[in-house]
Amino acid sequence: MILVSKTQIKLITSLQQKKYRNKLGLFVAEGPKVINELITAKLQLHSLYSTVDGLFEGETVQIVSEKELSKITALKNANNSLAVFKIPDKKPYVENGITVVLDAIQDPGNLGTIIRLCDWFDVKNLICSLNTVDCFNPKVIQATMGSIVRVNIVYTAIEEFILERNSPVYIGAMNGKNIYKENLPDKAIIIVGNEANGVSTNIINLVGNKVAIPQFGVNKKTESLNVATATAILLSEFKRITVS
Amino acid sequence: MILVSKTQIKLITSLQQKKYRNKLGLFVAEGPKVINELITAKLQLHSLYSTVDGLFEGETVQIVSEKELSKITALKNANNSLAVFKIPDKKPYVENGITVVLDAIQDPGNLGTIIRLCDWFDVKNLICSLNTVDCFNPKVIQATMGSIVRVNIVYTAIEEFILERNSPVYIGAMNGKNIYKENLPDKAIIIVGNEANGVSTNIINLVGNKVAIPQFGVNKKTESLNVATATAILLSEFKRITVS
């Protein structure tokens, strides 16, 4: 059994932090399912560790003990395999159908779910404000279930991004127009915002076109919809019209 | 400063387990927002602990230190207040519009999100199979944001429940009919199932009427939609028709 060196442990655990991911151009994925999806998507493997032999055909796997794996995992309960991948080269934004824009999403689970939703609804581009959680955060990678390789994720100043576009822009907001009553286009930009504060005021002032998922019933007391849940419904509304 | 006794600590931490919640008829809620929502909904308070004075008007609050709170919290980072409430009396099921049925949902976050969705979409009744995670689980209570008091949650044998109903039944399933092409009724039962396995075969054999949220694009590789996300879209589809 090959031991995981201290240098390897230091490298891998450092990748839990964004600054080291960016510096080294590497990120970590855990669990055989996600790892295999990333391998299939031709992401470049840096190193691969597993407590089980034979899970990754044609790849060089370093077999490790449970104890060794526990030293490099970012999860509470390690899922038998951990891989380090090279962060893929950035691809340019090419407008195509619906584009989703995220304004300061903080929760990795929410970002992961939204990436998975974009993949499901064939949204090619996901634009993230510079203060949105990093998509190569280990928790995001776990939540995406491999969808991360099929959605082009671009971090940029979203105000400028929006100003440069010609497509109609829609902001998800509690006090917007009833989305169910709108005639939605098949080419559009949808902006959803931070978990606590929603889309920021400067973006709202820039765009103005707010849409809401109405609350039903007479006793309207629900706090709000979770941002990932709201994004699911908004995307469903924009995409259902394309079903003939 | 009053100290939290060992007996109190033992009582409160025991409520992290379902068997003690059922035995004692009590559950825990944390954080001033959720606690205040439950108080407003007239749930009976058993005891209330806070590191901050003046958060709960008209209630007897035991002021505790951060250290004491850390001994009774179920959260990684305690949110300044913890309350013990009596589990409210069970209410009978009275059919009304859309009823959601859960088959073996395991993740507390998913159940919490679905409860919040029911509240948003004015679904009065949420029926849970006996092997669905307990709705008074602390993680569920945190995720519901107070919606738990506005949705009637009934744990029962769902096969029998379904057999006793006359309303049309829809099962959320990957291989179902395209939901966007269905003429949906305003009175129906929607069943969604376990995170890994979906709705169980015996229920599918019983009902047969499967609906799916179609996957878009030519390269259909997304694993699946998360069950809470799928429920959001299904509920949106059933409720949007009622918007005139």
Side-chain angles (χ1 to χ4, degrees):
Chain A
M1 190 171 287
I2 307 156
L3 290 165
V4 181
S5 71
K6 278 191 181 167
T7 314
Q8 283 172 306
I9 295 171
K10 205 174 162 186
L11 169 77
I12 295 164
T13 54
S14 80
L15 297 176
Q16 291 176 24
Q17 290 176 60
K18 184 179 166 183
K19 72 171 175 182
Y20 292 106
R21 289 195 295 273
N22 288 344
K23 196 174 165 185
L24 302 164
L26 299 170
F27 73 98
V28 168
E30 300 202 43
K33 206 165 173 175
V34 176
I35 294 171
N36 265 320
E37 281 219 53
L38 299 179
I39 291 172
T40 307
K42 313 266 185 238
L43 253 68
Q44 214 179 323
L45 203 53
H46 171 276
S47 50
L48 178 53
Y49 308 85
S50 183
T51 57
V52 186
D53 204 358
L55 289 180
F56 308 96
E57 219 175 312
E59 302 297 337
T60 309
V61 185
Q62 190 166 332
I63 302 298
V64 295
S65 66
E66 298 276 355
K67 198 180 163 189
E68 285 179 303
L69 189 64
S70 74
K71 285 181 187 163
I72 55 175
T73 183
L75 306 175
K76 268 184 210 161
N77 303 302
N79 188 1
N80 82 40
S81 306
L82 182 150
V84 179
F85 286 94
K86 293 201 176 157
I87 291 178
D89 291 337
K90 289 189 176 71
K91 279 180 277 179
Y93 171 78
V94 181
E95 189 159 8
N96 184 331
I98 302 296
T99 295
V100 173
V101 175
L102 304 184
D103 183 6
I105 296 300
Q106 295 305 296
D107 182 77
N110 283 340
L111 178 56
T113 304
I114 292 171
I115 293 169
R116 214 167 141 190
L117 278 166
C118 286
D119 188 20
W120 187 272
F121 283 110
D122 200 31
V123 169
K124 307 288 188 200
N125 294 286
L126 177 64
I127 312 300
C128 300
S129 66
L130 296 167
N131 57 352
T132 288
V133 59
D134 179 32
C135 67
F136 292 106
N137 176 307
K139 286 181 193 162
V140 176
I141 297 292
Q142 292 319 113
T144 63
M145 295 282 192
S147 288
I148 195 159
V149 296
R150 292 183 293 273
V151 179
N152 186 28
I153 304 171
V154 180
Y155 284 77
T156 190
I158 60 170
E159 264 192 68
E160 286 160 38
F161 174 84
I162 294 160
L163 282 172
E164 286 165 8
R165 302 278 90 71
N166 294 316
S167 294
V169 181
Y170 293 80
I171 291 176
M174 294 281 282
N175 59 353
K177 293 173 287 180
N178 186 333
I179 183 111
Y180 299 130
K181 293 184 179 180
E182 293 295 300
N183 280 319
L184 301 171
D186 55 5
K187 198 170 179 180
I189 291 164
I190 307 171
I191 313 175
V192 293
N194 177 267
E195 288 83 352
N197 307 314
V199 173
S200 47
T201 313
N202 55 336
I203 302 287
I204 291 178
N205 291 342
L206 199 67
V207 179
N209 188 27
K210 292 182 284 184
V211 286
I213 301 150
Q215 199 167 149
F216 289 80
V218 284
N219 196 11
K220 299 177 182 181
K221 285 191 172 175
T222 321
E223 169 78 10
S224 69
L225 285 174
N226 161 282
V227 65
T229 307
T231 305
I233 296 169
L234 293 175
L235 282 176
S236 176
E237 282 302 306
F238 274 87
K239 296 299 285 194
R240 73 192 305 288
I241 57 164
T242 66
V243 174
S244 55
Chain B
M1 188 171 289
I2 304 155
L3 290 167
V4 181
S5 72
K6 278 192 180 168
T7 315
Q8 282 171 306
I9 295 173
K10 206 174 162 186
L11 169 79
I12 295 164
T13 54
S14 81
L15 297 176
Q16 291 177 25
Q17 290 176 60
K18 184 180 166 183
K19 71 170 175 182
Y20 291 107
R21 289 195 294 273
N22 288 344
K23 196 175 164 183
L24 301 164
L26 299 171
F27 73 98
V28 168
E30 300 200 44
K33 205 165 174 177
V34 176
I35 294 171
N36 265 321
E37 282 219 50
L38 299 179
I39 291 171
T40 306
K42 312 266 186 240
L43 252 68
Q44 215 180 322
L45 203 53
H46 170 277
S47 51
L48 178 52
Y49 308 85
S50 183
T51 57
V52 186
D53 205 359
L55 289 180
F56 308 96
E57 218 174 314
E59 302 296 337
T60 309
V61 184
Q62 191 165 332
I63 301 298
V64 296
S65 66
E66 297 275 354
K67 199 181 165 189
E68 286 179 303
L69 189 65
S70 75
K71 285 180 187 166
I72 54 175
T73 183
L75 305 176
K76 268 183 212 163
N77 303 303
N79 187 0
N80 83 40
S81 306
L82 181 151
V84 179
F85 286 96
K86 292 201 178 159
I87 292 178
D89 293 337
K90 290 190 174 71
K91 279 181 277 179
Y93 172 77
V94 181
E95 190 158 4
N96 185 328
I98 302 295
T99 295
V100 173
V101 175
L102 304 183
D103 183 6
I105 296 300
Q106 296 305 295
D107 182 77
N110 284 338
L111 177 57
T113 304
I114 291 171
I115 293 169
R116 213 167 141 191
L117 279 165
C118 286
D119 188 20
W120 187 272
F121 283 110
D122 199 31
V123 169
K124 307 287 188 200
N125 294 286
L126 177 64
I127 311 299
C128 299
S129 67
L130 297 168
N131 57 352
T132 288
V133 60
D134 180 32
C135 67
F136 292 105
N137 176 306
K139 287 181 192 161
V140 176
I141 297 293
Q142 292 319 112
T144 63
M145 297 281 192
S147 288
I148 196 158
V149 296
R150 292 183 292 272
V151 179
N152 186 27
I153 305 171
V154 180
Y155 284 76
T156 189
I158 61 170
E159 263 192 71
E160 287 159 36
F161 174 84
I162 294 160
L163 283 171
E164 286 164 7
R165 302 279 90 69
N166 294 316
S167 294
V169 182
Y170 293 80
I171 292 176
M174 294 279 283
N175 59 353
K177 292 172 287 180
N178 186 333
I179 183 111
Y180 299 131
K181 293 184 179 182
E182 295 293 301
N183 279 318
L184 301 172
D186 56 4
K187 198 171 178 179
I189 291 165
I190 306 171
I191 314 176
V192 294
N194 176 266
E195 288 83 352
N197 306 312
V199 173
S200 48
T201 313
N202 55 336
I203 302 286
I204 291 179
N205 291 340
L206 199 69
V207 179
N209 189 27
K210 293 182 285 187
V211 286
I213 300 149
Q215 199 166 149
F216 289 78
V218 284
N219 196 12
K220 298 176 183 181
K221 285 192 172 172
T222 321
E223 169 79 10
S224 68
L225 285 175
N226 162 282
V227 64
T229 308
T231 305
I233 296 169
L234 292 176
L235 282 176
S236 175
E237 282 301 307
F238 274 87
K239 297 300 285 193
R240 74 192 303 289
I241 57 166
T242 67
V243 174
S244 55

